[in-house]
Amino acid sequence: MDAEGKADADAQANTETPGIHTATLQWRDQGPLFATRADATGLAYLRGLIAGEAVAPPVAQVLGIEVVKADPGAVRFTMPVQDHFTNHLGFLAGGILSTVVDAALGCAVLSAVPADKDIVTLDLNVDFLRPVREIAGPVTVDAEVVHLGRNRGLASCRVVDADGRLCAVGKSSCLIRDKAPGGA
């Protein structure tokens, strides 16, 4: 049996075994990276994601992260809590929650910089205040710029569950840099 046949047989066996779940990861190519688009502002990019005119990065697609609001210096992201992202206690894994926090904080800064700039995260701090379970529904992250300098931006955020309960707070600083020719 070749590797493809074995994978098909394993997948079939998993669907027939109680307690075994299968997830298929699927994402769309995002096309030209934001960093390669010299004329695009971060705010226009984020609003393009909201309008469906731009494709989100693969990590956002796989985790279900969505930009639902983008204003200069402030963004709102949502992410569903799925059981396959939970830890041994049944809570959303801290690294998964940190990923949506990092994305929102960075994009808050990105939404405030000129078109010839992009950002990279320098540091990230997340304080977990309440465990998040799938039953709590999606999490919402509201992030805003606290300080915007020539080379560095600082943002903070609040993470709430579907009932509006505060689950985490975060902060990050980002390096503001010239867009590199050809990206990255």
Side-chain angles (χ1 to χ4, degrees), residues 31-123:
L33 299 176
F34 168 77
T36 65
R37 299 174 51 202
D39 62 338
T41 65
L43 184 60
Y45 169 70
L46 294 167
R47 289 182 172 167
L49 290 171
I50 294 168
E53 298 163 355
V55 178
V59 67
Q61 293 177 53
V62 170
L63 294 178
I65 297 170
E66 291 188 25
V67 183
V68 295
K69 181 180 176 188
D71 292 317
V75 298
R76 175 174 289 159
F77 280 32
T78 61
M79 185 186 76
V81 178
Q82 301 175 49
D83 68 347
H84 58 279
F85 294 145
T86 58
N87 62 21
H88 68 288
L89 299 170
F91 304 145
L92 180 64
I96 300 291
L97 186 58
S98 294
T99 300
V100 67
V101 166
D102 179 40
L105 290 167
C107 285
V109 175
L110 184 65
S111 72
V113 299
D116 64 337
K117 304 290 184 188
D118 68 9
I119 63 95
V120 293
T121 301
L122 291 172
D123 60 52

